[in-house]
Amino acid sequence: MMSFSQMFFNAGSRKRRYLCFMTNKLPTKKVTMSPNPCATRWNSWFFAVQYHREYFGLYKEFIEMETQVCGRSVPQSVERLHDMLQDPNLPQSLNVQINIMADKCKHILNLLDIFESRRPVTTKIFNYLEDLQVVFAANKEMQYELCDEYFKEFDLPRRTKTEILRTVGEAYVNAEEKLTMYMSDGQPAIEFLQEVRVFDPRHITFLDDSVESYKAIPGFTDVPRHEFDSYFTALGPAALRAALSGVVDLDVFWDGVQERLPVLSSLAHRYKDAVSNSADAERSNSIYKLVLSSRRRSTTNQNLKALVFLCHNHRILSGAFEREEREKGKVIEWEDMEEWEDMDIEGEGMEDDE
C-alpha cells in the first residue's frame, strides 16, 4: 500500500496514465485514484484496503506498462511493486490478505464513523468498546475451515495459507492487547464512560442500583435515594419497555421526568452528551489556519475567536463537513485529469526515497 501510494508522489503524468488505463479497463465505472493512507486518519488505511481489493487484479499489467514507459529511470516504488507482482506466490498471498482485511475492517470502519460523528454517543461508547473486544477475541484464532472462502480462488500451498492466518491472528492479538490496556489503564475516563450509561434507561437492567457505585460521575452522590429508586424501579423500566417498540429519545425522556427527578435529570442533561472525542478540536485548528491569513495578522484574539466560531458553524449549517466525509479517501478523479496536461513530464520520475 505504501509503495502504491509513493508511486504517484509528484508524478502527474503517471496519475494521468493510471486513470486512462483504469478507464479503458473499466469503462462503466467512475475511476478514482486510490485513497492515500494517512497516519492521522486511521480509516484512510481501511479505505485503501477496500480500494485495492477491487482493483488488485489490474495492477500487474499497469506496473509492467510503467516499467516500459520509464525505461532506465524506473522509480524505486514502481520497481518494488514490479518485483512483488512478478513473484509466483506473493501476488496471490497479498490478494488473500487484502480480501481478509477488507472484509474484517468493516466493523472498525463503522465504529470510527460513529466516534467521529457529531451525534451523541457518550452513553454507548463503553458498550461499543466491549463489542469490539468480542470481535477481536473471536478473530484472533482464525480456523482454516472458517476462512476457506478467502482461499478458494487462489492456488496457494497449505503452508502459505497457514502463514497468512497466523499473521492475521497476530494482528488481532495485538489489537486485543492494546484495546484491553486502553480499557484498563490507558483511558483515564474509562470509569466515567462505564458509569455514564446509567443515564440511558435501556442499560439500567445490567447496571448497579446503588448510588455509591457511580463515583466517577461528578455530583452523582448528591442524588436523593428516592429519586434513584424511582428511576430504577419505575421510570427506567417503563422507558425500556417503550424502547422495545422504537427508539428512546434521551432528551425527551429526561425533559419529561424533570419534575419528578430534578437532580438526576440535571445530571443527565449535563453528562449524557459529554464531548467524547477531539475531532472538532482538531478541525478547529485547521479553521484557525484558514481564518488567520497573511492579511489578518493584526486581528485581535477576541475577533479571531468570533470569526472561527462563525466559520465553523456556517460549515455545519451548510453541510460542508458531511460533504467532506463523503469525499474522504478520494484523491483525484477522472475529471481532474486536465490539470495534469500542462505538468512537466520530467516530474514523473521524482520519488520520495524514504
Side-chain angles (χ1 to χ4, degrees):
M1 287 170 58
M2 289 301 299
S3 297
F4 196 88
S5 178
Q6 291 172 359
M7 177 174 62
F8 297 107
F9 180 75
N10 283 346
S13 298
R14 184 170 299 117
K15 294 174 183 176
R16 184 177 70 249
R17 289 195 295 270
Y18 175 78
L19 290 174
C20 288
F21 173 81
M22 298 299 286
T23 301
N24 291 332
K25 293 293 182 180
L26 305 167
T28 60
K29 287 192 174 184
K30 185 178 181 180
V31 179
T32 64
M33 294 298 296
S34 65
N36 187 26
C38 178
T40 58
R41 291 186 178 182
W42 303 340
N43 46 9
S44 65
W45 291 88
F46 296 119
F47 287 139
V49 168
Q50 293 179 331
Y51 179 94
H52 293 312
R53 179 188 192 177
E54 186 173 0
Y55 301 114
F56 188 85
L58 300 174
Y59 290 166
K60 183 177 180 180
E61 184 179 350
F62 174 75
I63 296 300
E64 290 177 348
M65 184 184 73
E66 279 300 297
T67 56
Q68 295 176 1
V69 172
C70 296
R72 296 182 179 180
S73 60
V74 180
Q76 293 182 2
S77 58
V78 176
E79 190 173 357
R80 285 194 299 269
L81 289 170
H82 183 266
D83 293 340
M84 291 179 189
L85 298 176
Q86 292 302 316
D87 187 284
N89 291 326
L90 185 57
Q92 295 187 72
S93 176
L94 289 174
N95 205 343
V96 170
Q97 294 179 62
I98 288 174
N99 289 341
I100 292 175
M101 293 313 301
D103 186 38
K104 299 296 183 180
C105 75
K106 294 176 182 177
H107 186 86
I108 300 176
L109 277 174
N110 290 336
L111 284 183
L112 287 171
D113 289 340
I114 291 171
F115 290 153
E116 293 178 359
S117 69
R118 291 177 178 82
R119 299 181 181 88
V121 294
T122 309
T123 59
K124 304 175 184 177
I125 289 178
F126 191 83
N127 287 351
Y128 285 141
L129 295 178
E130 283 189 324
D131 292 342
L132 187 59
Q133 276 187 316
V134 174
V135 171
F136 288 164
N139 286 276
K140 67 180 180 181
E141 295 183 3
M142 299 180 64
Q143 300 298 322
Y144 174 77
E145 292 75 11
L146 299 177
C147 302
D148 183 58
E149 59 177 304
Y150 301 114
F151 298 107
K152 61 183 179 182
E153 297 180 2
F154 304 96
D155 185 20
L156 288 172
R158 178 83 181 197
R159 181 178 179 180
T160 302
K161 296 177 181 179
T162 304
E163 182 66 21
I164 291 174
L165 293 180
R166 185 188 64 80
T167 302
V168 176
E170 289 179 354
Y172 273 107
V173 169
N174 292 335
E176 184 188 32
E177 290 177 352
K178 291 181 179 180
L179 181 58
T180 301
M181 185 180 300
Y182 178 81
M183 295 182 65
S184 56
D185 300 324
Q187 172 55 263
I190 194 65
E191 292 184 358
F192 170 80
L193 294 175
Q194 184 176 6
E195 295 176 9
V196 78
R197 295 178 298 170
V198 72
F199 296 126
D200 189 336
R202 290 167 292 188
H203 298 150
I204 62 175
T205 305
F206 311 101
L207 299 178
D208 199 320
D209 59 353
S210 172
V211 176
E212 293 75 17
S213 301
Y214 301 91
K215 298 179 180 178
I217 302 177
F220 203 91
T221 54
D222 298 331
V223 175
R225 184 68 198 184
H226 70 276
E227 279 194 25
F228 191 77
D229 291 342
S230 177
Y231 173 56
F232 259 77
T233 58
L235 299 177
L240 180 60
R241 289 191 295 271
L244 297 176
S245 58
V247 178
V248 172
D249 188 322
L250 295 184
D251 289 322
V252 174
F253 172 79
W254 287 108
D255 285 341
V257 300
Q258 189 167 7
E259 292 184 2
R260 287 174 286 180
L261 310 176
V263 178
L264 198 57
S265 178
S266 176
L267 292 174
H269 281 297
R270 184 181 305 172
Y271 296 119
K272 67 180 178 61
D273 297 335
V275 177
S276 55
N277 62 55
S278 60
D280 279 331
E282 293 175 7
R283 292 185 182 106
S284 68
N285 290 332
S286 301
I287 296 177
Y288 270 105
K289 185 177 179 180
L290 292 174
V291 172
L292 193 61
S293 64
S294 58
R295 297 183 179 182
R296 291 175 172 167
R297 295 300 179 186
S298 60
T299 303
T300 64
N301 288 339
Q302 183 177 3
N303 288 341
L304 178 61
K305 291 179 181 179
L307 288 170
V308 170
F309 175 85
L310 293 174
C311 180
H312 187 81
N313 285 278
H314 172 70
R315 297 182 71 184
I316 292 177
L317 294 175
S318 64
F321 287 122
E322 285 71 18
R323 290 194 297 271
E324 289 176 4
E325 289 296 319
R326 288 194 296 269
E327 293 297 322
K328 187 186 298 180
K330 296 182 181 180
V331 183
I332 302 169
E333 296 189 354
W334 172 256
E335 289 79 1
D336 300 323
M337 285 178 54
E338 295 180 356
E339 299 180 6
W340 302 320
E341 293 292 344
D342 298 330
M343 294 184 66
D344 192 346
I345 196 170
E346 294 179 359
E348 72 179 42
M350 297 177 65
E351 188 74 10
D352 184 357
D353 291 337
E354 287 189 352

